[in-house]
Amino acid sequence: MTTVVPGRRTRRQSELLDRLLSLFLEQGFSRFTLDDLAAELRCSKTTLYALAPSKEQLAVEVVKHYFKNATAQVESAVARQTRHDRRIAAYLNAVADALRPASRTFLDDVATFAPARSVYERNTRIAADRVRTLIEDGINSKTFRQVDIAFAAEMIAHTMQAIQRGDIARRTGLNDAEAYRELASFVLHSLRLD
């Protein structure tokens, strides 16, 4: 078995992670064995072991890869906006866009596999902190009405966590991407000056 060396990935490894991510987003990861993945990707198990020493750790690496890519896309969407109201809408809508390709199977696999769930939870907390900053910037620029920033951020964070846990999907029928779109609309309309 090849030892995993932390640090930069080769181009081939990055491409393999992208292919694994596409596969996992569509079909989840719990049902696959390493043999299945090697056959599906037409590579050796040794090649997969170069990414992670086990199937479980490979799933975590792919989930991390997903969030790394999603964060770059989300921040790029925010950077294109100059108005504070458009920045917060761009942020939450970009999160929705990033979640759109994720099947319910993938999200359920993440939710039921503690190490992958931990990655999602950490990224949800980071996203909630980012929304808090965007709200604060909007209030300071007088684009948003004065609200208790800590309360608004906690309310949004709890909603984001409920989306991440699948509670919103179960209670409303909205998938995660749709729920983030609704959250963006709600937040934007509730913060705007009259």
Side-chain angles (χ1 to χ4, degrees):
M1 178 167 30
T2 305
T3 304
V4 179
V5 180
R8 258 190 104 116
R9 300 214 183 268
T10 66
R11 192 175 121 229
R12 171 139 166 72
Q13 288 174 324
S14 293
E15 288 170 357
L16 192 57
L17 276 174
D18 287 340
R19 290 173 57 207
L20 280 165
L21 177 57
S22 293
L23 179 65
F24 287 3
L25 286 172
E26 183 182 322
Q27 299 181 37
F29 53 82
S30 64
R31 71 177 187 88
F32 290 106
T33 65
L34 276 175
D35 287 326
D36 294 336
L37 292 172
E40 183 79 28
L41 298 171
R42 294 188 175 98
C43 69
S44 69
K45 287 192 335 186
T46 302
T47 301
L48 294 175
Y49 282 128
L51 294 174
S54 70
K55 180 217 159 182
E56 291 76 16
Q57 290 173 337
L58 182 61
V60 171
E61 286 301 311
V62 173
V63 171
K64 287 178 182 177
H65 184 65
Y66 168 72
F67 280 106
K68 180 181 175 188
N69 291 345
T71 299
Q73 293 168 359
V74 168
E75 288 302 331
S76 176
V78 173
R80 290 191 297 270
Q81 302 299 323
T82 55
R83 288 180 33 188
H84 292 287
D85 58 336
R86 290 186 179 162
R87 289 172 63 81
I88 196 164
Y91 186 88
L92 291 169
N93 285 321
V95 170
D97 290 342
L99 284 167
R100 186 173 297 113
S103 67
R104 187 74 251 163
T105 304
F106 171 75
L107 294 170
D108 288 345
D109 283 353
V110 169
T112 57
F113 181 50
R117 183 177 62 244
S118 175
V119 172
Y120 195 153
E121 289 169 350
R122 183 174 53 252
N123 280 277
T124 300
R125 284 191 305 273
I126 291 167
D129 289 343
R130 182 70 168 111
V131 169
R132 179 189 179 121
T133 301
L134 293 169
I135 292 170
E136 191 168 10
D137 292 347
I139 290 171
N140 291 338
S141 72
K142 308 226 184 297
T143 303
F144 296 149
R145 66 187 183 85
Q146 190 66 44
V147 297
D148 185 297
I149 296 168
F151 177 78
E154 279 302 305
M155 182 187 70
I156 294 165
H158 283 282
T159 303
M160 293 169 86
Q161 290 162 357
I163 293 169
Q164 176 260 314
R165 287 190 310 267
D167 296 346
I168 299 296
R170 281 189 295 281
R171 292 179 184 158
T172 67
L174 295 172
N175 65 37
D176 289 15
E178 293 165 338
Y180 267 97
R181 288 233 184 270
E182 289 298 320
L183 179 60
S185 176
F186 179 80
V187 167
L188 195 55
H189 287 92
S190 65
L191 292 174
R192 278 194 178 130
L193 292 167
D194 293 331

